[in-house]
């Protein structure tokens, strides 16, 4: 049977791709000398927290222009240990539009998360909203650079200074992002990166804390090793949050071609934007002026009224086209079951709005222009179909398919 190419696959048309296009592909893993590295580690007998971890910390510190980098087992353990090392008590202001691990680190330290709203343009923590949520109990602020787009670092630093509390950034998405001519890693008291497979630098598992504070760095080196300096009489209630030599070797390799990959990702995002700029009901995340996003993710917001169908319908439509999508972050943290009862119920309208509308599209540096065009084309086609005013283009198919797939309400 000949499938129609003017109809979206969800309505019985030919899918845009024959084989599924993944939403993410782990990057920077092509290291020709990697097998030898692994053998060297076995031969050395030093399997964790050794010379390769040091090498990675040094190279990362240079890339980030930060005096101290402490490698850890994950971004979550890094955040957890930073909060612990700072000896905080009370409330921590943080965004709800973030990955839940940001909030988990607060709870694990016996601190109270206080959610503030995000900015509609950047999706990052809004400094003004954070200010309205501050109180005499405020012990720290955590910001996050979402999808690689830098948070309002200067405003948040000002707020933290006004409140006289530390500012920590969840920089899981932002290795390679920049603000005010400086790499992310240089802002606040500490910034914490992640190297899981969906991030730009991939170590399998791993994290890195960047800081200008020598004393904090020293404490964190202890804290990642149970808090024990080697005396069996720990200085701080630490964890085993060390990075292994294997992961450090991967992380080091993951820095290869990073700049080129970030550049390519920026091109892809630009191509998506220009291809989709005329589609009614589609909006994009904006980067703040003077920043560079590492473009970890590319997301669109779907306005159901203007687009003609719901965000969830578009997700299903893209799945039918063999295009991988995610709704990230949905639900937002304050509406997740672990957090609903903890949330103070102060409204977070921007967070809800973005979370209800967001779709993440495939993004990795090996994604070709032709694929980007085809993905965007599938969205254009889906919108034309969804748009009631376009019914005259294929009235019979619309009526037929709407009946058979029960799409009337979306
Ligand atoms: C991935 C991610 C984390 C968790 O990183 P791990 O290294 O898996 O602990 C934290 N915050 C954000 C925003 C993330 O995307």
């Amino acid at each position: 049977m000949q499938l129609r190419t003017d109809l979206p696959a969800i309505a019985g048309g030919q899918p845009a791709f024959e084989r599924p296009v993944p939403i993410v592909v782990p990057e920077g893993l092509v290291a020709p000398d990697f097998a030898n590295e692994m053998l060297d580690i076995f031969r050395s007998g030093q399997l964790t927290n050794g010379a390769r971890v040091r090498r990675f910390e040094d190279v990362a510190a240079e890339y980030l222009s930060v005096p101290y980098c402490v490698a850890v087992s994950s971004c979550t353990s890094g955040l957890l240990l930073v909060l612990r090392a700072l000896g905080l008590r009370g409330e921590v202001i943080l965004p709800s539009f973030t990955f839940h691990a940001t909030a988990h680190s607060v709870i694990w330290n016996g601190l109270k998360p206080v959610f503030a709203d995000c900015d509609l343009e950047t999706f990052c923590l809004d400094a003004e909203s954070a200010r309205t949520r501050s109180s005499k109990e405020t012990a720290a602020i955590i910001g996050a650079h979402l999808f690689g787009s830098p948070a309002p670092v200067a405003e948040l630093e000002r707020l933290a200074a006004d409140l006289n509390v530390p500012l920590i950034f969840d920089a899981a998405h932002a290795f390679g992002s920049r603000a005010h001519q400086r790499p992310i890693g240089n802002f606040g008291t500490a910034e914490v990166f992640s190297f899981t497979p969906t991030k730009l630098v991939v170590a399998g598992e791993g994290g890195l804390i960047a800081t200008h504070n020598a004393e904090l760095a020293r404490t964190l080196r202890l804290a990642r090793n149970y808090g024990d300096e080697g005396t069996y009489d720990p200085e701080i209630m630490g964890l085993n949050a060390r990075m292994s030599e294997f992961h450090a070797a991967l992380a080091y390799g993951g820095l290869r071609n990073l700049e080129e990959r970030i550049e390519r990702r920026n091109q892809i995002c630009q191509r998506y934007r220009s291809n989709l700029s005329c589609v009614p009901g589609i909006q994009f995340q904006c980067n703040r002026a003077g920043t560079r996003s590492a473009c970890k993710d590319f997301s669109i917001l779907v306005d159901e009224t203007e687009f003609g169908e719901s965000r969830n319908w578009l997700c299903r439509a893209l799945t039918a086209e063999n295009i991988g999508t995610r709704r990230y972050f949905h639900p937002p943290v304050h509406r997740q079951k672990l957090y609903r009862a903890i949330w103070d119920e102060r409204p977070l309208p921007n967070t809800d709005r973005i979370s209800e509308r967001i779709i993440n599209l495939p993004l990795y540096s090996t994604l070709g222009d032709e694929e980007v065009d085809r993905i965007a084309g599938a969205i254009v086609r889906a919108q034309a179909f969804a748009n009631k005013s376009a019914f005259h283009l294929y009235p019979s198919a619309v009526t037929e398919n709407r009946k058979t797939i029960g799409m009337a309400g979306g």
Side-chain angles (χ1 to χ4, degrees), residues 1-59:
M1 185 182 83
Q2 195 65 31
L3 288 170
R4 291 178 57 167
T5 51
D6 58 334
L7 281 177
I10 195 171
Q14 170 130 28
F17 293 90
E18 243 171 74
R19 261 172 306 215
V21 178
I23 176 130
V24 64
V25 172
E27 294 202 344
L29 296 177
V30 192
D33 46 353
F34 193 66
N36 284 331
E37 281 268 312
M38 293 293 120
L39 283 176
D40 284 350
I41 294 169
F42 285 121
R43 288 197 195 100
S44 76
Q46 175 86 42
L47 303 188
T48 191
N49 203 19
R52 280 173 184 77
V53 170
R54 234 80 69 215
R55 177 183 63 176
F56 175 63
E57 288 175 337
D58 290 347
V59 172

Side-chain angles (χ1 to χ4, degrees), residues 8 278-281 304-310 313 379-395 398 402 407:
C278 295
V279 182
E304 179 165 357
T305 313
E306 278 183 55
F307 186 82
E309 283 287 358
S310 69
W313 178 85
I379 295 171
V380 172
R381 194 168 64 161
Q383 198 279 329
F385 177 78
N387 187 352
K388 315 306 189 255
S389 67
F391 272 18
H392 66 275
L393 294 176
Y394 22 66
V398 170
R402 288 197 163 238
M407 254 172 36

Side-chain angles (χ1 to χ4, degrees), residues 60-87:
E62 198 184 320
Y63 178 82
L64 299 173
S65 307
V66 173
Y68 307 103
C69 280
V70 181
V72 284
S73 56
S74 70
C75 175
T76 309
S77 65
L79 287 169
L80 221 137
L81 291 178
V82 168
L83 296 178
R84 171 64 63 150
L86 292 170

Side-chain angles (χ1 to χ4, degrees), residues 186-306:
N186 283 279
F187 300 96
T189 306
E191 303 211 54
V192 189
F193 298 97
S194 170
F195 307 122
T196 56
T198 61
K199 310 298 184 344
L200 261 85
V201 174
V202 176
E205 299 287 354
L208 185 83
I209 305 158
T211 180
H212 283 253
N213 184 324
E215 182 54 27
L216 178 62
R218 195 193 71 83
T219 308
L220 289 167
R221 285 183 201 289
L222 296 179
R224 73 176 170 191
N225 191 51
Y226 322 100
D228 186 352
E229 200 163 13
T231 58
Y232 294 97
D233 190 3
E235 308 294 316
I236 175 176
M237 193 65 73
L239 290 175
N240 176 357
R242 295 181 303 242
M243 180 181 271
S244 83
E245 288 288 279
F246 303 105
H247 293 94
L250 263 171
Y252 179 74
L255 296 174
R256 211 181 312 238
N257 304 332
L258 180 61
E259 281 302 308
E260 288 92 325
R261 289 191 282 117
I262 291 173
E263 215 160 280
R264 174 63 193 149
R265 283 169 171 266
N266 271 275
Q267 281 172 1
I268 293 171
C269 291
Q270 196 43 50
R271 198 170 183 97
Y272 267 133
R273 273 188 222 106
S274 54
N275 277 337
L276 293 170
S277 60
C278 295
V279 182
I282 298 283
Q283 274 180 12
F284 313 110
Q285 181 186 31
C286 303
N287 297 322
R288 296 171 64 82
T291 65
R292 174 179 82 166
S293 173
C295 292
K296 184 187 106 53
D297 294 288
F298 182 77
S299 52
I300 55 173
L301 301 185
V302 182
D303 179 307
E304 179 165 357
T305 313
E306 278 183 55

